Amino acid sequence: MNARLCMTICVMACIALLGIATAENVIDEIVNTAMKELPFEKGNHNILIMTNIGYAQGSEMYLDDFLSKVSELELSVSKNVIFVHNSYNKPLWFAFFDKSTGNCIYIEIKNGKIIKQAKENIAASNLLSNPEDWDAKMKSKVFSGNEFSVMTIANVWAKGMPWELQKSAEFHNHICPGLTAGYLIAQYLKKELPLESGEEYQILAVPPWCKDDALQVIFDSTVGKRKMVVKTVEKPIPSDLAGIYIKWNKKEGKGNGVVLTFDWGKACKDAGINRSDFKDFKSYKWWYARLKLDLWMMDYLNKPEYFISKVKEFKIDSNTLNKLKTAGVNPLIELGVIVEKPKVEEKKSPLPFEASVIGLVVAAVIFSILKRKS
Ligand SMILES: [Zn+2]
């Protein structure tokens, strides 16, 4: 036996003895577990794999093997995998969903080993017909707190979501009606205020909500590039206000803008949802309303004008744009969308110095009167 072969055998024996898992072994174990438990065979295009691989700290070491495995399974990276954005300090997880059954296997990894595995049926029809049962499982964090992400992405994907909504869902890490509204606003702007060569959208996120994550992804109008400014302004504001959008020509230093609203009252009424349920975080209603509306809105993805209206149209130059973006400036007042509240003059109480001068004058007058009388 030559020295090289001897060394290889020693290294392999050490790996076996110490139980050191290679990246390839880990991915094999995850996929084999999912294939056995879900179950599914390779080439099954009803399968969606959701994972935060590449975001969880250190998980990039598994990425090449994961992508090879996806191709070995004869699945498409663009159609059958969703890379869910998470903070670096979240554990690495995978969820395999079969849209033909609604079954889902959740697998969590720590130090190269499977530390959690759970199987649930998350088909929307099941969750919406037994909301209390699923709510108890959500409260017990059956998918380690990723339940809302997994169930909304999986069920919207099963209905066939467009690519721009899928990219937005990856960044936002769940699908809620607010994110879908952002997708719809993007489609509305493409029709109503289309970009010409050299133009970009400048966005004032007033007020900010989930829509702004979709808009940053679709238009690259990101906060860091100062193409989006986020402002929470003092109330009152127009109801259902959904932001200020400017088609901006940087070279010419001018643009056209619109102030938009999104009719949530109409969406909720048509979908048969009580609007107040969105804020009911004590019961199942908060997620029930979101999931139901998510699915309902899928039939309206080509009809943004059904929900979106223009409150105002305006032309703008660079000085005004800079002013609108500045902290402390309410862009709704500047654009004449709302009228500035008249400032109430506070009653000035006399300052201590002024009070003492008045006191001295009064004392001097009284003294002089008394002196004259005596
Ligand atoms: Zn959201």
Side-chain angles (χ1 to χ4, degrees):
M1 198 184 292
N2 66 31
R4 201 169 174 177
L5 182 61
C6 199
M7 178 74 89
T8 309
I9 292 169
C10 281
V11 169
M12 285 176 75
C14 285
I15 288 172
L17 282 170
L18 296 170
I20 299 168
T22 64
E24 200 179 350
N25 287 345
V26 175
I27 294 298
D28 272 346
E29 195 188 347
I30 294 163
V31 172
N32 291 341
T33 304
M35 289 178 87
K36 185 166 161 254
E37 300 295 330
L38 200 53
F40 72 96
E41 302 281 326
K42 77 174 184 182
N44 182 345
H45 287 259
N46 288 324
I47 301 298
L48 172 67
I49 309 173
M50 292 157 275
T51 173
N52 67 347
I53 194 168
Y55 292 106
Q57 193 167 36
S59 65
E60 66 278 10
M61 69 182 284
Y62 304 114
L63 194 50
D64 288 343
D65 289 313
F66 174 67
L67 294 176
S68 306
K69 200 72 188 173
V70 170
S71 121
E72 203 181 293
L73 289 172
E74 295 170 11
L75 295 179
S76 154
V77 175
S78 61
K79 294 187 181 79
N80 302 100
V81 183
I82 292 191
F83 295 94
V84 182
H85 183 205
N86 268 179
S87 173
Y88 81 101
N89 59 349
K90 290 270 185 176
L92 173 61
W93 60 267
F94 296 81
F96 295 76
F97 171 72
D98 181 348
K99 75 172 174 184
S100 67
T101 61
N103 285 332
C104 182
I105 298 276
Y106 176 85
I107 295 171
E108 200 168 295
I109 309 299
K110 193 178 179 186
N111 298 330
K113 287 202 167 66
I114 295 177
I115 55 154
K116 181 168 182 167
Q117 189 180 317
K119 181 179 175 181
E120 295 294 339
N121 188 290
I122 59 162
S125 54
N126 180 35
L127 307 186
L128 296 174
S129 56
N130 301 297
E132 269 113 355
D133 288 359
W134 179 244
D135 195 53
K137 287 179 180 171
M138 283 185 80
K139 287 197 170 94
S140 72
K141 299 196 170 169
V142 66
F143 292 167
S144 301
N146 294 306
E147 301 79 20
F148 186 68
S149 288
V150 170
M151 77 196 219
T152 53
I153 293 173
N155 283 297
V156 172
W157 172 83
K159 282 199 92 174
M161 72 172 124
W163 181 247
E164 286 179 350
L165 183 57
Q166 185 172 319
K167 295 307 287 175
S168 304
E170 289 189 336
F171 180 56
H172 193 56
N173 82 27
H174 63 248
I175 298 180
C176 57
L179 186 80
T180 310
Y183 171 84
L184 285 165
I185 291 168
Q187 308 318 311
Y188 181 89
L189 290 171
K190 284 187 202 170
K191 275 191 207 170
E192 296 288 320
L193 210 59
L195 293 181
E196 281 145 48
S197 163
E199 293 182 334
E200 64 188 32
Y201 288 114
Q202 287 275 338
I203 299 173
L204 288 141
V206 183
W209 36 276
C210 301
K211 64 177 166 43
D212 301 306
D213 281 355
L215 293 160
Q216 288 185 87
V217 168
I218 298 169
F219 295 138
D220 188 32
S221 291
T222 65
V223 170
K225 295 186 207 91
R226 296 185 298 279
K227 293 183 196 174
M228 177 179 280
V229 170
V230 178
K231 283 190 168 188
T232 302
V233 296
E234 212 181 333
K235 285 183 178 165
I237 58 172
S239 68
D240 290 338
L241 184 66
I244 301 169
Y245 302 89
I246 296 152
K247 174 177 120 102
W248 184 245
N249 190 317
K250 202 172 175 182
K251 209 171 160 191
E252 292 178 15
K254 61 182 187 183
N256 299 324
V258 286
V259 181
L260 301 181
T261 55
F262 191 94
D263 195 339
W264 288 110
K266 191 198 263 183
C268 290
K269 190 168 173 257
D270 285 10
I273 291 161
N274 203 341
R275 198 167 170 179
S276 59
D277 288 352
F278 288 105
K279 288 183 180 166
D280 184 349
F281 292 101
K282 285 190 186 128
S283 76
Y284 64 81
K285 289 180 182 167
W286 72 268
W287 63 259
Y288 181 97
R290 281 171 173 79
L291 179 61
K292 193 170 172 187
L293 195 51
D294 275 351
L295 299 172
W296 181 86
M297 287 172 87
M298 289 296 285
D299 295 332
Y300 289 81
L301 296 185
N302 295 322
K303 300 183 188 88
E305 57 287 340
Y306 187 65
F307 309 98
I308 298 164
S309 305
K310 282 179 209 158
V311 177
K312 177 123 194 156
E313 288 179 81
F314 57 92
K315 288 195 184 302
I316 190 165
D317 60 20
S318 49
N319 283 342
T320 315
L321 178 60
N322 287 337
K323 188 171 183 191
L324 297 188
K325 288 173 153 188
T326 305
V329 173
N330 184 337
L332 299 171
I333 294 173
E334 290 298 321
L335 293 171
V337 176
I338 57 169
V339 180
E340 190 171 12
K341 275 190 288 181
K343 285 199 175 89
V344 182
E345 283 276 324
E346 279 176 36
K347 273 194 179 168
K348 250 175 111 182
S349 57
L351 295 169
F353 173 74
E354 289 165 325
S356 52
V357 170
I358 292 166
L360 279 172
V361 170
V362 171
V365 170
I366 294 170
F367 179 74
S368 67
I369 292 168
L370 289 173
K371 204 178 171 191
R372 243 181 264 160
K373 280 186 178 173
S374 61

